[in-house]
Amino acid sequence: MTAVDARPETTAELRFPRGFRWGTATAAYQIEGAAAEDGRTPSIWDTFSRAPGRVRNGDTGDIAADHYHRMDEDVALLKELGVTDYRFSVAWPRVQPTGRGPAVQRGLDFYRRLVDALLAAGIRPVATLYHWDLPQELEDAGGWPQRDTAPRFAEYARIVAEALGDRVATWTTLNEPWCAAFLGYASGVHAPGRTEPVAALRAAHHFNLAHGLATRALRDALPRKAEISLTLNLHAARPLTDSAADLDAVRRIDAVGNRIFLDPVFHGRLPADLVEDTASLTDWSFVRDGDLATAATPIDSLGINYYSPTVVAAGSCDTPSPWPGAEKHVRFVPAPGPRTAMDWPVDADGLYELLTRLRDELPAVPLMVTENGAAYDDYADPSGAVHDPERVAYLRAHLHAVHRAIEDGAKVRGYFLWSLLDNFEWAYGYSKRFGIVHVDFATQRRTVKDSAGWYAGVIGRGGLD
């Protein structure tokens, strides 16, 4: 394995605040493997990835990066990087296979070992409770559009908190509920692959409810000093022109892409324009008295995942669409500039825009950049090295944007690079590589990329050269 070179490149000119949290992030289904070991049962992603045509090349997460068996090696990589924090997710079907009832201790034991290894390495564990791997049995009962899934999630949150709460100080309830609701239940490109726009709106509400219920369960089970958070992939939507129609397209995307979560969680209300935009689909009668107050249970920070901006104009988009209430009024326009292997535009200004927007709208809420990174067509050269200068340039630009936002008053407390390892990239299978550590999926050999050495240098200096 290639050692990480954390030597400074030059004297840092842009320093981040003392105590700034430097980390990387992963997700259970994308790296763990061991899909049928120690009591784990199928999640919706196990089922979805086995359906013909759903995932590129028929790939599944059965083995992934084999982190379940190589956890010690991966924690050693984290220690070499010098990260202060590591954001991982707990696999619900590994802990509570049916989504109900008592925990499987063998599943919890894996996370106990992971947390102990991180603490021994001087790394703060950051646990995410839901990164899209709903137990299949709960989906069979209706999934997230079914109200009962929300209290089931709170029960699971309490189980994990009681097992790990003495050692894990930072907890995230949900990761990117927009993707889980609208890519999973409206456009169907993610698990469980349903194309039911009303079900997607119901799922979004039940995610908000589940977040509030889980926050209350965590407060009951955790020490008072524990930090509870939520991670959203907010959309940095821009109009193609300044016309009223294009500006309205931005408003619609903001309603169903951003404020559908921000307003309930931080203001205890539904966006009035979202209700109006979706009136032809639903009357929102599934929102019961007290739900919005529960969703607004106070949290300690907000996580932001950002990769690229979105440019929209008046028009219509293909169906099935992940934008209920907007699909007949909005078209998506390719943004100019360089692109990643995902064909996503590279534009760090979008991250700055989101962070300063939240500075203005939620001035009391500390922020964390919980995912940011890029996929490129990385490969090991004949010497075994993996050179990824495009990723270094991407990360540098986005960290500059974070620093600029902090200088302009945004309360950004940390940055988590996505991702530590090349992994199972959802519907793209193993065709896209986001990691700063290359994984040869045939042999599971880890090779540190140039970007890892660069990031280690940033962490070691506490800033950018």
Side-chain angles (χ1 to χ4, degrees):
M1 189 188 315
T2 305
V4 171
D5 181 2
R7 291 174 298 177
E9 295 168 324
T10 64
T11 300
E13 295 178 356
L14 298 179
R15 294 197 179 276
F16 284 73
R18 185 178 299 276
F20 192 80
R21 296 163 67 173
W22 297 100
T24 62
T26 62
Y29 190 72
Q30 293 182 270
I31 68 167
E32 282 183 2
E37 293 187 33
D38 292 335
R40 184 187 181 279
T41 58
S43 73
I44 54 175
W45 269 98
D46 294 277
T47 302
F48 183 82
S49 64
R50 283 170 169 72
R54 293 294 200 177
V55 174
R56 187 170 296 184
N57 301 320
D59 292 337
T60 74
D62 286 0
I63 299 174
D66 199 29
H67 173 71
Y68 194 77
H69 300 112
R70 298 171 183 268
M71 179 264 290
D72 290 334
E73 178 182 359
D74 294 338
V75 172
L77 285 168
L78 290 165
K79 184 175 182 179
E80 286 187 64
L81 279 170
V83 297
T84 64
D85 292 64
Y86 173 58
R87 179 175 177 254
F88 65 94
S89 79
V90 178
W92 192 347
R94 195 178 295 286
V95 169
Q96 199 185 30
T98 66
R100 297 179 175 84
V104 172
Q105 293 302 317
R106 289 170 296 170
L108 280 172
D109 285 345
F110 170 73
Y111 299 106
R112 292 184 176 108
R113 292 194 302 273
L114 171 60
V115 167
D116 288 346
L118 291 169
L119 292 173
I123 298 167
R124 183 187 294 111
V126 178
T128 298
L129 289 166
Y130 188 75
H131 201 130
W132 307 354
D133 43 6
L134 183 72
Q136 182 60 44
E137 189 163 320
L138 289 184
E139 174 60 27
D140 293 342
W144 285 105
Q146 169 60 246
R147 184 181 182 87
D148 187 59
T149 305
R152 298 282 70 74
F153 177 70
E155 177 187 52
Y156 153 71
R158 182 183 294 274
I159 287 171
V160 181
E162 289 175 347
L164 303 178
D166 59 332
R167 285 159 290 172
V168 176
T170 303
W171 295 79
T172 299
T173 55
L174 306 171
N175 178 80
E176 297 187 355
W178 184 87
C179 291
F182 293 102
L183 300 183
Y185 291 96
S187 68
V189 298
H190 278 190
R194 291 162 60 177
T195 54
E196 306 164 35
V198 176
L201 294 169
R202 292 176 62 94
H205 172 64
H206 293 146
F207 274 121
N208 287 331
L209 178 62
H211 160 72
L213 291 171
T215 299
R216 293 180 178 183
L218 292 172
R219 292 284 184 219
D220 287 344
L222 294 173
R224 293 186 64 180
K225 64 181 180 179
E227 175 187 359
I228 300 175
S229 185
L230 167 70
T231 285
L232 302 176
N233 59 310
L234 298 179
H235 300 79
R238 301 167 176 167
L240 181 63
T241 73
D242 290 334
S243 70
D246 287 1
L247 291 171
D248 187 64
V250 169
R251 179 199 62 76
R252 288 176 180 272
I253 294 303
D254 189 58
V256 74
N258 297 335
R259 287 181 285 114
I260 193 170
F261 301 108
L262 288 173
D263 280 17
V265 170
F266 292 102
H267 304 297
R269 69 191 182 212
L270 285 173
D273 59 330
L274 173 68
V275 174
E276 182 177 350
D277 290 346
T278 56
S280 64
L281 297 171
T282 179
D283 61 2
W284 291 83
S285 58
F286 49 83
V287 179
R288 299 183 185 175
D289 289 346
D291 283 3
L292 295 172
T294 299
T297 301
I299 56 177
D300 303 300
S301 64
L302 175 64
I304 304 300
N305 292 356
Y306 173 85
Y307 294 92
S308 62
T310 301
V311 180
V312 297
S316 62
C317 56
D318 295 336
T319 55
S321 164
W323 304 100
E327 68 272 38
K328 297 179 181 178
H329 304 273
V330 177
R331 64 185 175 94
F332 293 84
V333 181
R339 310 183 88 76
T340 69
M342 297 288 287
D343 199 32
W344 294 348
V346 178
D347 189 335
D349 286 343
L351 178 55
Y352 174 83
E353 292 163 12
L354 284 177
L355 294 174
T356 51
R357 168 187 174 170
L358 293 168
R359 171 202 65 193
D360 297 339
E361 294 184 5
L362 302 171
V365 180
L367 307 174
M368 303 281 284
V369 178
T370 39
E371 286 185 26
N372 177 240
Y376 289 101
D377 295 323
D378 307 320
Y379 61 92
D381 70 13
S383 73
V386 182
H387 305 298
D388 55 344
E390 300 94 346
R391 181 173 292 106
V392 171
Y394 178 100
L395 296 171
R396 186 192 304 273
H398 286 76
L399 280 171
H400 271 270
V402 174
H403 187 274
R404 182 158 58 103
I406 293 171
E407 290 288 291
D408 290 343
K411 297 172 66 172
V412 186
R413 302 296 190 244
Y415 175 91
F416 290 75
L417 186 156
W418 184 271
S419 176
L420 173 66
L421 303 170
D422 290 337
N423 55 38
F424 175 85
E425 187 48 43
W426 307 115
Y428 291 92
Y430 297 101
S431 67
K432 305 298 180 185
R433 294 181 176 271
F434 275 89
I436 55 173
V437 175
H438 181 276
V439 177
D440 180 329
F441 293 107
T443 65
Q444 295 298 335
R445 175 181 168 85
R446 273 78 161 136
T447 301
V448 173
K449 303 178 187 180
D450 288 354
S451 56
W454 177 84
Y455 189 49
V458 171
I459 297 168
R461 292 189 302 273
L464 292 159
D465 60 298

